[in-house]
Amino acid sequence: MSTEHFITINGIRYHVRIEGDGSPVLLLHGFTGSADTWSGLMEAYKEQYSFIAVDLLGHGQTDSPEHHERYGMEAAVDDLKVLLNFLGRKPVHLLGYSMGGRLALGFAVRYPEYVKSLILESSSPGLKTIEEQDVRIMHDAGLAGRILDIGVERFTDEWSRLPLFATQERLPQEAKERVRAERLAQKAIGLAGSLKGMGTGSQPSLWEDLASLQIPVLVLAGELDLKFVRIAKQMADTLPNHEMHIFEDAGHAIHVEKPAEFGRIVNEYFKRRKYSDD
């Protein structure tokens, strides 16, 4: 089964793509992404899961509010709760990448009864200190302003050249074009609002919540993404019910660089969670 929906939640028209039948899996993409981020994973495993892929606020075909306060994590978390209630799909397995991983963790902390298990790909619980947050807020505000000034196409070119994504230069041309097309489909006001409202500096730090999170968590990072390997290990030191997997010869976007291995690891983890819950 493959369906697309436009669902209005708290005044925001969300675009949601649902693929497959089986245990529900909520998929949350990263900054400049969309539900299409997960097309390969959904196609490979749609016989086993019912994937719910959401275009997050300011991304894809979902609305882009004018005021950045509406993009805040608490509001976005509450939107997801309403969405799952509307669809009648809870609890879910939850997979989030980068920005989507931060949102997924925020959702799991606030509404643990909605989450069977959690997978965090190249993600973090935010920044630990007010000083770090203030510096990042200023950085993200400047970047948001630049997006509005130069437009999505020029920003996409600059964003793609960040060291964070250097390992993607090795990808086949077709894969690089898919990533670029997804970024070009965004709206400047949406990306700017997302940076200012749900950037790493703006979100509440979740580090102190990790120790009390009883949900099973799988932490994923690519070995070439040194910053997020370090963060993954720090999270693993605190999470009481976790597994960790570091992908060899991979960078930040593991699902893009190692799609087959990524899908296998995700599928095996969800299967283990299913058997342990039965």
Side-chain angles (χ1 to χ4, degrees), residues 39-102:
S39 292
L41 181 70
M42 292 191 289
E43 180 62 28
Y45 293 98
K46 64 184 179 182
E47 302 301 323
Q48 301 176 50
Y49 303 102
S50 177
F51 292 107
I52 306 163
V54 183
D55 286 352
L56 297 177
L57 277 165
H59 288 77
Q61 299 179 64
T62 290
D63 285 348
S64 298
E66 181 178 349
H67 300 293
H68 72 267
E69 291 85 0
R70 182 59 179 86
Y71 294 79
M73 178 173 287
E74 290 188 359
V77 161
D78 285 341
D79 288 350
L80 292 178
K81 179 187 177 185
V82 174
L83 172 65
L84 292 180
N85 285 336
F86 178 84
L87 295 175
R89 305 288 188 93
K90 61 178 186 188
V92 295
H93 298 294
L94 180 53
L95 166 58
Y97 160 63
S98 198
M99 178 191 76
R102 291 189 284 107

Side-chain angles (χ1 to χ4, degrees), residues 20-237:
D21 297 291
S23 298
V25 179
L26 179 62
L27 302 172
L28 305 180
H29 62 77
F31 182 66
T32 74
S34 68
D36 291 342
T37 292
W38 307 109
S39 292
L41 181 70
M42 292 191 289
E43 180 62 28
Y45 293 98
K46 64 184 179 182
E47 302 301 323
Q48 301 176 50
Y49 303 102
S50 177
F51 292 107
I52 306 163
V54 183
D55 286 352
L56 297 177
L57 277 165
H59 288 77
Q61 299 179 64
T62 290
D63 285 348
S64 298
E66 181 178 349
H67 300 293
H68 72 267
E69 291 85 0
R70 182 59 179 86
Y71 294 79
M73 178 173 287
E74 290 188 359
V77 161
D78 285 341
D79 288 350
L80 292 178
K81 179 187 177 185
V82 174
L83 172 65
L84 292 180
N85 285 336
F86 178 84
L87 295 175
R89 305 288 188 93
K90 61 178 186 188
V92 295
H93 298 294
L94 180 53
L95 166 58
Y97 160 63
S98 198
M99 178 191 76
R102 291 189 284 107
L103 178 58
L105 180 57
F107 183 81
V109 165
R110 188 160 180 179
Y111 298 115
E113 68 276 15
Y114 279 68
V115 182
K116 293 180 183 178
S117 66
L118 175 63
I119 299 182
L120 302 175
E121 177 194 357
S122 303
S123 193
S124 83
L127 299 171
K128 292 182 178 180
T129 69
I130 298 296
E131 291 76 17
E132 289 176 304
Q133 291 173 345
D134 287 343
V135 169
R136 185 59 182 264
I137 287 171
M138 291 181 61
H139 172 272
D140 286 347
L143 188 57
R146 181 157 180 77
I147 295 171
L148 295 173
D149 287 342
I150 68 175
V152 170
E153 184 171 2
R154 280 187 60 191
F155 170 72
T156 291
D157 292 338
E158 293 180 2
W159 188 252
S160 301
R161 290 195 292 268
L162 289 178
L164 187 67
F165 304 115
T167 52
Q168 293 184 27
E169 287 302 311
R170 306 175 301 175
L171 291 171
Q173 187 62 30
E174 181 181 355
K176 289 193 284 189
E177 289 175 358
R178 283 197 303 269
V179 172
R180 177 173 170 78
E182 191 174 13
R183 289 171 174 162
L184 289 175
Q186 308 301 332
K187 300 175 285 291
I189 189 173
L191 295 182
S194 181
L195 272 174
K196 294 176 71 175
M198 205 198 299
T200 310
S202 299
Q203 76 159 80
S205 176
L206 300 172
W207 282 100
E208 293 186 0
D209 296 289
L210 297 182
S212 59
L213 188 64
Q214 298 301 317
I215 296 166
V217 182
L218 175 61
V219 182
L220 304 178
E223 70 167 350
L224 303 179
D225 186 9
L226 300 181
K227 173 183 175 181
F228 282 89
V229 169
R230 185 183 74 251
I231 292 172
K233 291 178 179 178
Q234 290 173 343
M235 286 194 288
D237 286 340

